[in-house]
Amino acid sequence: MKKRDKRTNKPAHERAEESSKSSRRYRLREDEVKVLEQFRRIKDEAEAAGLDVDSVKSGWIKSDDASLYFKNPNYKTPEQIGIEKMRDELLEEFRDYAPKYPTIKRKKSKDGHLLIIDPADIHIGKLCTAYETGIEYNQNIAVKRVLEGVEGLLDKSNGFNIDKIMFIGGNDILHTDTPRRTTTSNTPQDTDGMWYDNFLTAKKLYIDILERLMQVADVEFIFNPSNHDYQSGFFLAQTIEAHFHTSNNITFDCSIAHRKYSIYGNSLIGTTHGDGARQKDLAQLMSVEARHLWADAEHRYFYTHHVHHKMVTKDLIGCTIETLRSPSPADSWHHRNGYISKEAVEAFIHSKEFGQVARLTHFY
């Protein structure tokens, strides 16, 4: 016998459906929100006042018979609107004025090698003072260290036939993500320079590095989103891709995906910042997210970042995990709490057949 609602004497499932419909009665669909934006000239009045309609957070719509309070689901803070406007203008400018890169023709090599260059956690805009920590670090020193490190890694790779370079970008390339000198999660930071100066410094650094690497081999640029600069790091990667959009010798993966995968020979290579999924889950995530590549790969690796120090390589079932050093030293907070590590940038060499065959380190 079917259960019946005691209060209404209706079948229980009918009463549940009515209750569900009642709870949904006042939810607005996206098309209904657009109607409300037009009601009482909200959109027109906002634009007349020089406001973006998305900047109207909430308001009241009133008539003779009703009064309705609404919240704008597309609301954006002035800061968000300003950053997105800057991003769109930068991308348009770079696409219009990007330099023309002539195609470099190269012979295919059967015994070639992949050089992975991974300057992790550069933190342009980070401030360390020798007076407190014993080591000086600012945006100029950051740039100098990374350029020196990349050149040193290229020197150390001599002797290998390099037919492709994978450059790992992102990973806290910028130290802060807001004009208030905080990370994406609003953690205050000791900083050097204004946020826009640091953005432009990082842009120039990436352009200089990629132009140098393209002279050695074709480049694959992989972007890893990160916790210090989740927004601005993404915008920076998009800007760099726009700058090189005329080049046939460089490819980009600048999506916001937290884990990226690439194949070289029979090596499946994953990269991630390291602030998200647990390290012990990375092998299983790779087998699911890159299942179309997993079965064809004999060697599988995950390169992670975030912690600024070398962690012992872990051989999980089917995948090797390795965490990289950073060229940036400890700032005031990290030094006070004893988080001190040897600064360096690292690179790895993979053969098409045997996977990772060399590990290169440039110390400071």
Side-chain angles (χ1 to χ4, degrees):
M1 182 176 179
K2 294 184 177 179
K3 293 183 179 180
R4 305 184 74 82
D5 187 276
K6 292 181 180 179
R7 187 163 56 86
T8 62
N9 199 34
K10 291 183 177 181
H13 73 279
E14 290 185 12
R15 178 57 185 164
E17 289 177 359
E18 288 181 3
S19 176
S20 177
K21 290 177 181 177
S22 176
S23 66
R24 295 196 302 265
R25 187 174 298 161
Y26 298 106
R27 291 183 182 174
L28 299 175
R29 300 191 307 272
E30 185 178 351
D31 58 337
E32 293 171 328
V33 171
K34 291 180 179 179
V35 172
L36 289 177
E37 286 177 348
Q38 298 293 343
F39 191 78
R40 294 287 299 272
R41 301 192 306 277
I42 292 173
K43 187 173 186 297
D44 293 340
E45 290 179 9
E47 292 177 348
L51 298 174
D52 189 313
V53 69
D54 287 343
S55 69
V56 179
K57 185 176 183 180
S58 60
W60 286 94
I61 297 176
K62 296 185 178 182
S63 68
D64 294 339
D65 302 317
S67 179
L68 173 66
Y69 175 75
F70 72 90
K71 287 186 176 181
N72 185 355
N74 299 319
Y75 170 70
K76 296 175 183 175
T77 65
E79 180 182 299
Q80 288 174 311
I81 293 173
I83 290 176
E84 290 184 3
K85 182 180 179 183
M86 182 191 76
R87 175 201 63 187
D88 294 340
E89 290 175 352
L90 273 173
L91 291 179
E92 183 178 354
E93 178 183 347
F94 274 110
R95 289 193 181 98
D96 290 342
Y97 298 101
K100 307 297 182 185
Y101 288 100
T103 299
I104 302 172
K105 295 183 178 180
R106 296 185 170 98
K107 295 181 180 179
K108 290 185 178 180
S109 173
K110 293 183 179 179
D111 63 342
H113 293 77
L114 169 69
L115 173 62
I116 301 175
I117 294 184
D118 195 344
D121 296 282
I122 301 170
H123 288 273
I124 290 177
K126 179 178 182 177
L127 178 65
C128 306
T129 61
Y131 181 73
E132 180 178 10
T133 66
I135 301 177
E136 202 79 20
Y137 194 74
N138 53 44
Q139 61 172 303
N140 292 328
I141 294 174
V143 168
K144 183 179 179 181
R145 280 193 170 200
V146 176
L147 290 175
E148 175 192 315
V150 169
E151 203 61 43
L153 294 171
L154 287 174
D155 289 342
K156 291 177 176 66
S157 69
N158 282 337
F160 290 93
N161 180 17
I162 304 299
D163 66 353
K164 181 179 179 180
I165 295 175
M166 181 186 292
F167 181 82
I168 312 300
N171 293 313
D172 290 341
I173 172 67
L174 294 162
H175 193 49
T176 60
D177 209 22
T178 75
R180 298 183 302 277
R181 302 176 186 270
T182 67
T183 66
T184 310
S185 299
N186 290 321
T187 305
Q189 301 294 314
D190 296 329
T191 60
D192 170 58
M194 297 298 291
W195 64 273
Y196 46 81
D197 288 328
N198 294 326
F199 183 93
L200 295 173
T201 296
K203 175 178 70 68
K204 186 177 187 306
L205 173 64
Y206 272 172
I207 291 172
D208 289 345
I209 291 174
L210 294 174
E211 287 182 342
R212 171 71 178 96
L213 297 181
M214 285 166 57
Q215 303 309 308
V216 178
D218 285 0
V219 178
E220 180 180 10
F221 180 98
I222 304 289
F223 166 67
N224 286 165
S226 40
N227 60 304
H228 270 251
D229 58 350
Y230 187 64
Q231 271 193 145
S232 51
F234 175 71
F235 297 159
L236 175 62
Q238 297 290 320
T239 302
I240 298 302
E241 182 176 9
H243 178 90
F244 285 97
H245 83 279
T246 64
S247 173
N248 294 319
N249 296 104
I250 183 168
T251 59
F252 289 86
D253 184 350
C254 293
S255 77
I256 201 65
H258 291 276
R259 290 170 295 279
K260 304 287 175 55
Y261 303 99
S262 184
I263 195 84
Y264 179 83
N266 58 15
S267 288
L268 174 56
I269 299 163
T271 65
T272 187
H273 184 54
D275 62 319
R278 294 174 299 181
Q279 212 175 69
K280 67 178 184 178
D281 295 331
L282 291 179
Q284 187 174 357
L285 285 166
M286 175 183 277
S287 71
V288 174
E289 295 174 337
R291 56 187 175 274
H292 58 296
L293 300 173
W294 176 276
D296 295 330
E298 183 178 349
H299 311 284
R300 307 177 189 95
Y301 303 85
F302 234 118
Y303 294 114
T304 74
H305 317 81
H306 182 55
V307 295
H308 292 213
H309 61 267
K310 195 70 179 176
M311 292 179 66
V312 178
T313 301
K314 293 182 180 180
D315 281 325
L316 302 179
I317 296 176
C319 183
T320 299
I321 313 295
E322 189 154 350
T323 305
L324 280 70
R325 297 180 175 93
S326 163
S328 69
D331 58 14
S332 175
W333 186 88
H334 287 87
H335 189 271
R336 182 166 64 251
N337 288 278
Y339 300 125
I340 301 174
S341 305
K342 184 65 178 173
E343 305 96 56
V345 293
E346 297 183 77
F348 308 91
I349 295 178
H350 287 247
S351 83
K352 288 178 176 162
E353 182 179 358
F354 301 108
Q356 187 195 95
V357 294
R359 186 182 293 119
L360 311 176
T361 307
H362 183 93
F363 288 105
Y364 299 99

